[in-house]
Amino acid sequence: MLKNYDELSPVAIDCLREIGNIGSGSAASALSQMLGKPIEMRVPDVCVLEYQQIIDTMGGPEKIITGILVRLQGDIKGMMMFLLEDSFAQVVLSTFMSQEKIELTKLDDMQLSVITEMGNIMAGSYLRALATLTGLTIDMEIPSMTVDMLGAIMSVPITEFAQVGDKVLFINDGFSVDGVDIKSNIILIPEMDSLETLMKKLGVM
């Protein structure tokens, strides 16, 4: 039985990369439909990283970002987090509310609601793609969103998933809308039993 992410084989990591590619593509497609704009997507880089490496890669613990937390239920239990830089909020709010030069730390309830709904749609699309690929039932709770320093946002999975070690699946992707580059990162943290179920379904265990 898997005890932590370090025990994943190179073949298993490759499978997770492919899942990351498919899920990210599906999420970007859903966002494109909602915005009514074409999206150019770059190929996601999927890797297993320590939490501190993720924080360093994204700009340090004090960087202000939008975090959208999705708890997973069904055959796959765990957590998924979208970590979105301010360019995401700018594009979404300028499209839906004709608002420019938004400060992430000063979003009102309506603005927060719009961005959360975008995260909800992207997460749902991502998980549907994963469920279709694996034949597993994957449900999600209503996402919760926060704007905070990266270190504070990352403290949630660090605390809740301490038992699976200090490494998680990190998907570093991004896309362009109207020539604006949007940095987007996803952390996928299935519980160990769920990860083992996923690996068996994909035929790599």
Side-chain angles (χ1 to χ4, degrees):
M1 178 179 169
L2 284 172
K3 293 194 176 91
N4 56 55
Y5 288 83
D6 283 330
E7 295 182 0
L8 290 171
S9 69
V11 174
I13 296 291
D14 284 342
C15 282
L16 290 172
R17 278 200 184 94
E18 189 56 28
I19 286 172
N21 286 336
I22 292 167
S24 295
S26 183
S29 177
L31 181 63
S32 175
Q33 290 178 354
M34 285 298 297
L35 294 176
K37 297 178 178 181
I39 286 179
E40 291 183 31
M41 188 175 170
R42 74 164 189 257
V43 177
D45 179 26
V46 182
C47 49
V48 175
L49 291 181
E50 296 176 2
Y51 288 111
Q52 189 58 51
Q53 289 175 303
I54 293 171
I55 292 170
D56 292 343
T57 296
M58 291 188 60
E62 296 184 357
K63 181 165 188 172
I64 300 293
I65 63 160
T66 301
I68 299 174
L69 170 63
V70 184
R71 297 185 188 278
L72 309 180
Q73 300 292 335
D75 293 332
I76 301 293
K77 294 180 175 61
M79 177 188 293
M80 181 166 76
M81 287 185 75
F82 285 88
L83 302 172
L84 302 156
E85 300 199 3
D86 64 350
S87 53
F88 176 80
Q90 301 287 354
V91 166
V92 168
L93 294 177
S94 66
T95 300
F96 287 100
M97 303 178 76
S98 300
Q99 295 173 337
E100 307 288 342
K101 296 183 179 177
I102 304 298
E103 283 191 53
L104 275 183
T105 55
K106 296 181 180 178
L107 297 177
D108 61 28
D109 288 345
M110 179 63 75
Q111 292 166 334
L112 288 169
S113 176
V114 168
I115 294 171
T116 302
E117 183 57 22
M118 287 296 102
N120 188 6
I121 290 164
M122 290 172 69
S125 183
Y126 192 108
L127 294 174
R128 279 193 298 276
L130 181 53
T132 299
L133 182 69
T134 60
L136 296 169
T137 299
I138 308 173
D139 301 316
M140 69 180 203
E141 296 180 8
I142 296 172
S144 58
M145 187 197 116
T146 186
V147 176
D148 205 337
M149 290 188 292
L150 179 58
I153 288 174
M154 290 293 289
S155 69
V156 177
I158 288 172
T159 302
E160 289 197 27
F161 290 86
Q163 78 277 10
V164 302
D166 61 355
K167 292 186 178 179
V168 294
L169 187 66
F170 180 67
I171 302 162
N172 181 8
D173 61 10
F175 37 87
S176 302
V177 182
D178 289 341
V180 177
D181 285 333
I182 296 176
K183 289 185 178 178
S184 161
N185 298 279
I186 300 168
I187 300 173
L188 189 59
I189 320 173
E191 293 180 0
M192 281 296 111
D193 288 351
S194 297
L195 185 59
E196 193 163 331
T197 298
L198 182 60
M199 293 293 98
K200 286 178 178 175
K201 266 287 184 184
L202 295 170
V204 293
M205 276 192 70

